[in-house]
Structures are given as structure tokens and as C-alpha cells.
Amino acid sequence: MQLFQTISMAFKAIAGNKVRSFLTMLGVIIGVMSVIVLVAIGQGTTASVTESISSMGTNLLTVNIMTRSVGGKNAMRGGMTASSNSKGTVILKLDEILELEQDESIAYVSPTCTGNLTVKAGSTNTTASVMGVLPAYQYIINQGVEQGRYIIDADVDNRSAVCVIGVDLAQDLFGNTNVVGNTVYIDGRKFKIVGVLESKGTSMTGSSDESIVLPFTLAQRMLESTTISSIYVSAVDSLSVDAAQEFVERFLYKKYQNESTYSVMNQTQMLETANETASTLSLMLGGIAGISLLVGGIGIMNIMLVSVTERTREIGIRKAIGAKRRNILLQFLIESVVISGLGGLLGLVLGYGLMHVLENYVGMSLSMSLGVAELAIAFSMGVGVIFGLYPANKASCLKPIDALHYS
């Protein structure tokens, strides 16, 4: 019965100062809302990156070679780069890279080169991402075409002025995606569109929907890239990835004699690295939001101390008529916990609503896990207990005679 009366008095005290109680809750509301939204963004980023990497298959190897570009457009002959420059810098040849496919663990190989060039169609022009690839690239990253065809071997051998365009870029330039056979000008050169890429949305490497794919040899010339610094390799299956990676690493070491010159990463390593980075980001965002909760807790302590001072005479009267120290302690502690708890619940609801509003702006799916919601509420309640304990203890320790003389 005494516990019920103590709880009832605590709620009456909160209801008696509605505006002050709400303003005190505001710090907790903002803190919980921040935790929910920022952690959801962190988790959404993790899921997006994981999906992006996984969509390219589990048998992908990515090779990066740290070499300097040498010479200009005229340094290329027959679709291949020279084996070395005058200073002895080792440079991979295209036909050397294609020899990797002879290993039984490797299915497809494609070097890539990328850059940004001006693309024009009629009176419309824009700057777009241009990627030079071999025909095998579409199988390596599991991307087909919605219309027309992809780059073929003859395009690479002849440096044909053909391209495959992303759906969004086609829409921007022509107002529709039925553009096979149309002409575009890339960096002032005339190209025939032979295909439209399947829409894959935005990934960790950007959006293929807004890019143009060219034959590798021609893209190298247009981008003035005389070295091969990026290679995509597809193993025969997921069980052959380790063997394929070992073979590629042996090939590169034999060529460069220096492991720091290149890096070979498989999908598992990429996923682990991406998840570690995203998890760190989530923790950092959650920590920043947690600071807001601590600030809210300080606000609760401040208001509760003011409340103790204002109600000193009330405390004295209650003690004089038989209220024990624990009753006073419990009353003020309940007030603190109720304020922080209600603030946590309101922050949870507002955070959930804000999360769905932000989905349209961040371009990814955001979701609130039950664990995060429970942790946010528990943390807000804990803030109420921790920051309410000192004012409650101060109130319970007041001597009745001193409290009654307070005016």
C-alpha cells in the first residue's frame, strides 16, 4: 500500500509541473531518437555494402596494382601496353593478364580502367563515369543488358567506337531507354550505342545506371591510361577462390618481385573489411548519440535537485508524520525514472518516424532492430536511476526539524 502511495505521489508531482517535466524529458527524447536514427543509418550502411559485395558473387577476386601511368595515348600498340618503360618500370600486358584464364581455377578475367568524360547527345551533355572492360566483365559482376548487346571481343580488338549505356544516363540524355542504335559523343568522339545495361542501382563502387561501358582498349586510349592497375578475376566456383587467389598472387609476384606493389582481395576479405568498417561507424554514431542521453541525464539531475529544494518543507512534513527515509528516496527516484522512461518511449516513437522519413533521402533501407530499441530504453531508464539517485538520496537524508524550518 505504501509503495502504491509513493508511486501515486511521484506521478502527481510530475503532473503538477507539466512544462518543466516535458522540458526535462526533452534531453532524453533527443538522445534516444538520435541513438535509434544514427544506429539505423549505420546498420543500413552495413547491409547495403554487404548486399552490394554479395551481389557480385562469392567467387570474385579484385586485384589492384600500384603502378604509375607512363607515356600518353601513343604508348599503346595493338591493344596492349608495353612490358616496361625506359626506366624499367614493369607494366602488365593485356595478353599476359588473359593467360590467367588458362588456370583451371579461374573462369574469367577482365582488366578495367575508369574515368569521367563529357557525354553529349543532341543538345544535352553531362559528365559521366566511363569504364573500359573486356566482354568477360559482365559475367564477373553478374550484369547483363536490358536491350541490345554487351561489348564483344571484336570491339576490343578493333577499338570499335561502340558503348553500352546505363539506364539512368540514357534517360537523362534521350528522355527514354530505347536508345540502341543511337549516337552519343564521348569527349567529342562519336559512339554508337549497342546496348543498355540492366539496372542494378547504387553499389559501393557507384551506380552503373549512370555510367557508360566501352571496349577496354579504346577506353585506355581515351582516358590516356597506359598501365593496367585494376583487374577483376572470377574463380570457377566458390570452392576454387583460394586456389585462384594463390595462382594470381604467384603470377603477380613473379612479375613484380614485390608484394607491396599489388593487392589481391577476395569477396570474403572484402566483406570482412566492409563489415568491420561499418560496425566501427555504427559504434561511433551510437556513441555520439549516447552523449545526448548523458546530457539529458544531467538535466534530470539538475531539475530533481531543484525539486528537492522546492519541496524541502513537504519532505519535512512527510517525515514528521512517519514517512521513512526509503519512502522519500523511492518517491524521488520514481519521479526521475518516470521522466527518463517516458522520454525514452517518446524518443523511440519519434526516432522510428524520423527513420522512415530519412529513407527517402539517404537512398537505403533503414530498420530498427529490437535489440537496439531495448538497449536505448534500458539506457534511458538507467540514466534516470543514475542521475536521480543523488537528488533522491539528498531528499531522504533531510532531517525533519531542519526541513520544517525551511522557508
Side-chain angles (χ1 to χ4, degrees), residues 24-32 34-35 286-302 340 376 379-384 386-388:
T24 306
M25 287 181 197
L26 200 56
V28 179
I29 292 171
I30 294 172
V32 171
S34 301
V35 168
I288 292 171
I291 293 172
S292 301
L293 271 176
L294 292 177
V295 173
I298 293 170
I300 290 175
M301 178 186 282
N302 181 50
S340 62
F379 193 66
S380 67
M381 297 286 282
V383 163
I386 293 169
F387 288 94

Side-chain angles (χ1 to χ4, degrees), residues 63-68 89 228-229 256 259-263:
V63 180
N64 290 305
I65 302 169
M66 284 65 78
T67 57
R68 295 183 296 108
T89 303
I228 297 175
S229 58
Y256 292 101
E259 292 182 355
S260 65
T261 306
Y262 57 85
S263 66

Side-chain angles (χ1 to χ4, degrees), residues 12-240:
K12 285 179 180 178
I14 293 172
N17 295 279
K18 295 183 180 67
V19 175
R20 187 169 73 179
S21 297
F22 174 73
L23 292 175
T24 306
M25 287 181 197
L26 200 56
V28 179
I29 292 171
I30 294 172
V32 171
M33 185 170 65
S34 301
V35 168
I36 295 299
V37 173
L38 292 179
V39 172
I41 290 174
Q43 291 180 338
T45 302
T46 303
S48 177
V49 170
T50 301
E51 182 182 355
S52 173
I53 295 174
S54 299
S55 68
M56 292 192 288
T58 57
N59 54 347
L60 174 67
L61 297 175
T62 305
V63 180
N64 290 305
I65 302 169
M66 284 65 78
T67 57
R68 295 183 296 108
S69 180
V70 276
K73 295 179 181 179
N74 297 326
M76 296 177 31
R77 295 290 184 269
M80 303 176 188
T81 59
S83 59
S84 64
N85 65 1
S86 58
K87 295 182 180 180
T89 303
V90 178
I91 302 175
L92 279 175
K93 294 181 180 181
L94 181 57
D95 57 357
E96 288 178 324
I97 294 173
L98 295 178
E99 288 176 5
L100 290 171
E101 292 182 350
Q102 295 177 8
D103 187 76
E104 61 182 11
S105 64
I106 296 176
Y108 302 106
V109 176
S110 174
T112 65
C113 62
T114 59
N116 294 318
L117 295 175
T118 301
V119 181
K120 182 178 180 180
S123 60
T124 305
N125 67 81
T126 185
T127 300
S129 173
V130 174
M131 173 175 278
V133 301
L134 299 184
Y137 186 74
Q138 71 172 128
Y139 306 112
I140 294 173
I141 66 165
N142 299 320
Q143 183 172 45
V145 291
E146 287 187 0
Q147 301 173 37
R149 65 170 176 86
Y150 203 74
I151 301 299
I152 59 176
D153 290 329
D155 298 331
V156 176
D157 295 338
N158 301 322
R159 294 197 187 96
S160 303
V162 297
C163 64
V164 184
I165 191 170
V167 289
D168 289 349
L169 185 58
Q171 188 71 40
D172 293 341
L173 293 174
F174 296 96
N176 64 83
T177 58
N178 298 315
V179 296
V180 174
N182 287 9
T183 296
V184 294
Y185 287 86
I186 303 175
D187 204 27
R189 180 167 180 170
K190 184 178 179 181
F191 279 77
K192 179 182 178 181
I193 300 174
V194 294
V196 178
L197 293 169
E198 284 181 345
S199 178
K200 296 191 74 171
T202 303
S203 69
M204 60 177 287
T205 55
S207 175
S208 62
D209 297 347
E210 298 176 350
S211 64
I212 288 184
V213 175
L214 305 182
F216 177 74
T217 48
L218 182 56
Q220 269 196 308
R221 174 168 290 182
M222 295 192 67
L223 294 169
E224 297 187 348
S225 172
T226 59
T227 62
I228 297 175
S229 58
S230 177
I231 308 169
Y232 282 71
V233 179
S234 177
V236 173
D237 52 46
S238 58
L239 298 177
S240 304

Side-chain angles (χ1 to χ4, degrees), residues 236-268:
V236 173
D237 52 46
S238 58
L239 298 177
S240 304
V241 172
D242 290 340
Q245 182 170 355
E246 184 178 348
F247 181 80
V248 172
E249 288 174 343
R250 284 202 311 268
F251 166 81
L252 292 171
Y253 184 78
K254 183 179 179 181
K255 189 74 178 175
Y256 292 101
Q257 299 293 312
N258 185 354
E259 292 182 355
S260 65
T261 306
Y262 57 85
S263 66
V264 183
M265 292 189 68
N266 61 41
Q267 287 294 76
T268 302

